């Protein structure tokens, strides 16, 4: 029987309210010819994301209470829009981010999902946000065709920098992580210092395109320490010292950026990218993985995408490179629905009366 499974995903862990519907099955049309016969086609039929970035920009970062209050009307509005396109009766399960993230923000998604589950009787799935990021790579048809365990995942976002070994479906082992700032924070905090609004990562990336990455020698923290851990706070301090030591500190002008600012940005980006790439390649080699996924907001960075791909092709022949599509790298609900689908297959459901937020929930 060619049944289509439809999962409604809800994400409110930080500063994006997102709702999506994932369809898996014979009717869900696929775009590429790489899909093998045993692979069921996937389709993201609804993908709504409402960003709070403009709200948080005036505070210079995400304020948890403000985030939570802003999620409330947005979550209701996006769920309503989604269900106008895909009726609730046709949905097989509801997947909601349970953690990690901001407790009050997560609560908004959980309460919305709880109400929907109680009202509809549909199964409810509590999704780990980090498993969601990993699942974002599986949304790509070519990646799915090459998906073979063990896999290594580099998750780089505003809140996380992790190397995760995936031995089988839903079986995770963290082999490395940051000891202080996440990679996204290293971009964002350095950008803020140089007068850029949150989030600074994309702005640094844009400036870096015009800059010289060897203009300033910035440290490569923990590059050769033999672990798969990261530390970015020293890099942030080095950028501050460099910035404060400049004879003149140019004002950030997005339309007409100062060459000095471009050089600092390029040097900073090169340092972050080199550490991320080298540690990932070393871990991939040690654990003899068959593929390397790149996920999370920082994986929108073109230099990181390119360098990791080149590194794998040159130094790890036979290992597949599986970056998630750019449209799914920052927080979204399609990835939550996808991880929800994996859990749906395992019937990993939670009673709507019992689901609660897990702000510190790690991957296991
Ligand atoms: O995954 P995400 O949307 O949120 C978290 O779960 O944290 O990631 C947001 C992070 C921010 O730190 C942002 O500056 C960074 O991703 N980011 C980038 C780029 N685009 C987004 N960092 C570097 N280069 C980019 N092009
Ligand atoms: Zn995220």
């Amino acid at each position: 029987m060619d049944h289509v499974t439809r999962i409604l995903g809800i994400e409110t862990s930080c500063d994006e309210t997102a709702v999506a519907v994932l369809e898996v099955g014979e009717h869900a049309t696929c775009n590429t010819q790489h899909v093998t016969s045993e692979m069921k086609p996937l389709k993201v039929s609804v993908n709504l994301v409402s960003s709070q970035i403009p709200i948080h920009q005036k505070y210079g970062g995400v304020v948890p209470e403000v985030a939570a209050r802003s999620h409330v009307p947005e979550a209701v509005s996006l769920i309503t829009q989604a269900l106008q396109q895909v009726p609730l009766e046709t949905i097989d399960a509801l997947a909601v981010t349970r953690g990690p993230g901001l407790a009050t923000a997560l609560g908004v998604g959980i309460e919305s999902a709880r109400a929907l589950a109680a009202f509809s009787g549909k199964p409810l799935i509590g999704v780990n946000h980090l498993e969601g990021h990993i699942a974002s790579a599986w949304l790509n048809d070519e990646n799915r065709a090459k998906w073979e365990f063990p896999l290594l995942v580099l998750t780089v976002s505003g809140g996380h920098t992790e190397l995760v070994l995936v031995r089988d479906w839903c079986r995770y082992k963290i082999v490395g992580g940051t000891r202080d700032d996440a990679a996204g924070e290293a971009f964002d905090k350095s950008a803020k210092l140089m007068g850029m609004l949150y989030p600074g990562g994309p702005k640094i990336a844009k400036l870096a395109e015009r800059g010289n990455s060897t203009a300033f020698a910035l440290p490569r923290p923990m590059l050769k320490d033999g672990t798969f851990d990261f530390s970015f706070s020293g890099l942030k301090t080095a950028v501050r010292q460099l910035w404060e030591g400049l004879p003149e500190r140019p004002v950030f002008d997005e339309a007409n950026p100062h060459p000095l600012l471009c050089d600092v940005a390029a040097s900073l980006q090169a340092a972050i990218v080199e550490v991320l790439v080298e540690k990932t390649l070393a871990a991939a080699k040690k654990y003899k993985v068959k593929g390397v996924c790149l996920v999370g907001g920082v994986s929108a960075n073109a230099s990181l995408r390119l360098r990791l791909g080149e590194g794998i092709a040159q130094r790890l022949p036979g290992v597949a490179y599986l970056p998630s599509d750019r449209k799914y790298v920052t927080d979204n609900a399609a990835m939550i629905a996808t991880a929800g689908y994996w859990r749906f297959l395992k019937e990993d459901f939670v009673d709507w009366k019992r689901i609660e937020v897990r702000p510190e929930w790690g991957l296991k």
Side-chain angles (χ1 to χ4, degrees):
M1 203 184 71
D2 61 343
H3 175 68
V4 177
T5 303
R6 292 187 182 82
I7 312 283
L8 178 83
I10 303 174
E11 156 64 36
T12 63
S13 68
C14 189
D15 58 348
E16 259 95 29
T17 321
V19 175
V21 177
L22 174 76
E23 303 194 8
V24 189
E26 300 312 318
H27 294 311
T29 45
C30 249
N31 340 343
T32 75
Q33 71 272 43
H34 296 278
V35 183
T36 58
S37 55
E38 66 274 11
M39 264 173 62
K40 288 190 179 166
L42 295 190
K43 180 179 158 192
V44 177
S45 53
V46 177
N47 187 28
L48 307 170
V49 182
S50 165
S51 174
Q52 301 178 1
I53 285 174
I55 300 173
H56 297 293
Q57 270 180 342
K58 44 178 192 284
Y59 303 102
V62 180
V63 182
E65 264 317 304
V66 176
R69 261 183 284 131
S70 310
H71 280 308
V72 177
E74 282 306 313
V76 173
S77 159
L78 299 191
I79 290 168
T80 307
Q81 280 180 57
L83 294 178
Q84 276 163 354
Q85 291 178 53
V86 182
L88 185 56
E89 312 81 82
T90 67
I91 301 281
D92 293 277
L94 310 161
V96 62
T97 307
R98 202 173 185 183
L102 305 170
T104 50
L106 287 163
V108 178
I110 297 264
E111 295 316 323
S112 309
R114 190 197 307 279
L116 277 177
F119 162 78
S120 67
K122 305 281 178 190
L124 181 61
I125 301 158
V127 173
N128 185 300
H129 182 82
L130 298 168
E131 185 173 61
H133 274 299
I134 294 172
S136 72
W138 199 68
L139 274 170
N140 175 289
D141 294 341
E142 292 185 33
N143 289 353
R144 215 157 61 253
K146 296 183 212 153
W147 202 266
E148 231 188 307
F149 301 110
L151 284 171
L152 182 74
V153 183
L154 172 64
T155 305
V156 270
S157 72
H160 296 273
T161 302
E162 281 182 351
L163 278 168
V164 186
L165 182 64
V166 192
R167 291 198 193 276
D168 202 346
W169 294 107
C170 307
R171 274 190 54 212
Y172 306 103
K173 183 177 182 231
I174 312 291
V175 297
T178 182
R179 300 200 176 159
D180 40 60
D181 289 346
E185 280 178 292
F187 276 106
D188 295 341
K189 290 181 178 174
S190 302
K192 188 176 174 186
L193 174 81
M194 295 187 277
M196 295 167 223
L197 285 178
Y198 169 85
K203 298 180 186 80
I204 294 278
K206 196 126 186 282
L207 293 175
E209 283 171 17
R210 301 193 189 191
N212 170 7
S213 62
T214 57
F216 300 103
L218 287 168
R220 268 66 172 155
M222 301 178 72
L223 184 61
K224 297 203 189 310
D225 72 343
T227 75
F228 301 123
D229 286 340
F230 304 90
S231 165
F232 290 108
S233 70
L235 184 56
K236 179 186 66 190
T237 309
V239 172
R240 167 169 295 122
Q241 283 164 353
L242 160 66
W243 181 248
E244 288 171 357
L246 290 178
E248 54 151 343
R249 283 191 284 284
V251 176
F252 173 60
D253 174 359
E254 201 156 8
N256 189 19
H258 193 286
L260 207 50
L261 211 51
C262 296
D263 285 349
V264 178
S267 304
L268 169 66
Q269 177 176 277
I272 296 173
V273 167
E274 186 179 338
V275 177
L276 291 174
V277 169
E278 291 304 321
K279 294 259 174 176
T280 305
L281 294 179
K285 194 165 171 207
K286 165 153 186 205
Y287 292 102
K288 301 185 175 57
V289 296
K290 302 219 168 80
V292 175
C293 298
L294 173 65
V295 304
V298 178
S299 60
N301 188 282
S303 171
L304 175 60
R305 292 176 86 85
L306 184 74
R307 301 249 172 260
L308 186 57
E310 282 175 355
I312 292 169
Q314 288 163 9
R315 288 153 60 187
L316 300 173
V319 174
Y321 176 42
L322 315 166
S324 77
D325 288 351
R326 278 183 118 116
K327 68 174 170 183
Y328 297 125
V329 298
T330 50
D331 288 349
N332 65 85
M335 70 185 199
I336 301 303
T338 306
Y341 175 69
W342 293 350
R343 297 283 166 179
F344 176 82
L345 296 179
K346 290 181 175 284
E347 299 188 16
D348 188 358
F349 303 134
V350 52
D351 191 325
W352 62 261
K353 288 190 189 127
R354 288 195 209 289
I355 191 167
E356 80 306 327
V357 298
R358 291 182 173 171
E360 310 288 338
W361 198 13
L363 269 184
K364 283 210 185 67

